[in-house]
Amino acid sequence: MISVAIDGPAGAGKSTIAKAVSKKLGYIYVDTGALYRAVGLKFANAGFDTELNCNIENILSDTNVTIKFVNGEQRVFLDGKDVSDLIRTPNASMMASAVSAKPPVRAFLLDMQRKLAMDNNVIMDGRDIGTVVLPNATVKIFLTASANERARRRYKELTERGEKVDFNEVLKDIETRDYNDSHRDIAPLKQADDAIFADTTEGSFEDSVNLVLDIINKRLENK
């Protein structure tokens, strides 16, 4: 099986680019960030904030996160409910960053991610796919863009959904999450030694898709 690991900071376009590339290649797309967002939503719904002052294992023991592919699109279910849209808010992003720093949560989701890669040709994106989840991935890419550009994209996405957000707050959330993700003790965000760096600050969405496709195809040719 072929596995493509795409890592990078929040708002770099990993999900949308990986989704488009997976359709062109006929691979299954796995948005691992959505899994962490779903777990974060579980804790938020239980009344906890990013401090997570609770017995994490107890809550996880009563948590069921699953992925279903509906018309080729990944949908995320939390305890039987489709939460694919609910997990795309700024608060869900911060909760995802908080829970992803907890070893019990990472262990809870690790086996699910690896099994998907064992059974299918996949493009999997997240923070530590190439370094921890799939260290032997066929292709590894570190996808990024400037903080301002990532905030602009996230702001556009949220406002198009009808949400009222402030750009400066979105930028602050991006910068805070960058710091938290890269400084956490467990599986911090970093570029794998054998990953190819890809900056999408400039250029169109199609340019970014073609850039990633080119990286994958060239790497597969050399395998």
Side-chain angles (χ1 to χ4, degrees):
M1 292 297 173
I2 296 170
S3 55
V4 179
I6 300 180
D7 291 311
K14 299 186 303 296
S15 297
T16 51
I17 292 170
K19 192 180 298 182
V21 171
S22 68
K23 286 184 179 179
K24 290 179 179 293
L25 295 176
Y27 294 1
I28 287 179
Y29 164 63
V30 182
D31 175 5
T32 61
L35 302 178
Y36 285 98
R37 286 169 177 266
V39 173
L41 181 63
K42 176 64 176 265
F43 283 85
N45 288 344
F48 299 105
D49 59 20
T50 54
E51 294 299 317
L52 298 174
N53 293 319
C54 57
N55 188 315
I56 293 174
E57 288 87 348
N58 278 356
I59 294 178
L60 291 176
S61 68
D62 189 39
T63 300
N64 181 39
V65 178
T66 56
I67 290 176
K68 296 181 181 179
F69 293 91
V70 181
N71 297 323
E73 179 184 0
Q74 174 184 282
R75 304 294 292 180
V76 181
F77 290 75
L78 173 64
D79 299 331
K81 178 182 179 181
D82 187 339
V83 295
S84 304
D85 297 325
L86 296 176
I87 61 176
R88 297 300 175 183
T89 65
N91 184 57
S93 294
M94 297 306 293
M95 288 300 292
S97 184
V99 299
S100 66
K102 303 299 182 181
V105 176
R106 305 199 72 81
F108 177 72
L109 295 174
L110 183 60
D111 288 343
M112 177 193 300
Q113 297 169 62
R114 285 181 172 169
K115 188 174 189 309
L116 284 167
M118 287 177 60
D119 297 340
N120 307 275
N121 290 330
V122 301
I123 294 182
M124 191 176 294
D125 76 89
R127 301 291 185 279
D128 64 342
I129 308 305
T131 54
V132 176
V133 179
L134 302 177
N136 298 314
T138 316
V139 184
K140 297 180 185 179
I141 299 170
F142 191 83
L143 191 71
T144 190
S146 70
N148 270 305
E149 174 61 16
R150 288 183 283 127
R152 185 195 67 77
R153 294 173 186 172
R154 183 60 56 84
Y155 177 82
K156 181 174 182 289
E157 176 187 356
L158 293 171
T159 53
E160 286 179 348
R161 289 193 192 133
E163 297 186 31
K164 293 183 178 179
V165 290
D166 178 77
F167 175 81
N168 289 328
E169 285 300 316
V170 174
L171 177 58
K172 181 180 177 182
D173 286 343
I174 287 282
E175 292 173 338
T176 298
R177 188 161 187 192
D178 282 354
Y179 181 86
N180 291 341
D181 287 348
S182 60
H183 286 80
R184 66 192 184 202
D185 293 332
I186 305 298
L189 169 67
K190 64 180 181 179
Q191 181 177 346
D193 291 338
D194 53 346
I196 297 172
F197 184 85
D199 191 321
T200 68
T201 301
E202 303 293 337
S204 67
F205 173 71
E206 281 304 318
D207 290 335
S208 299
V209 170
N210 290 332
L211 172 63
V212 171
L213 274 171
D214 188 53
I215 291 172
I216 294 171
N217 288 330
K218 285 183 176 178
R219 181 57 62 93
L220 293 180
E221 287 174 2
N222 295 327
K223 284 291 180 180

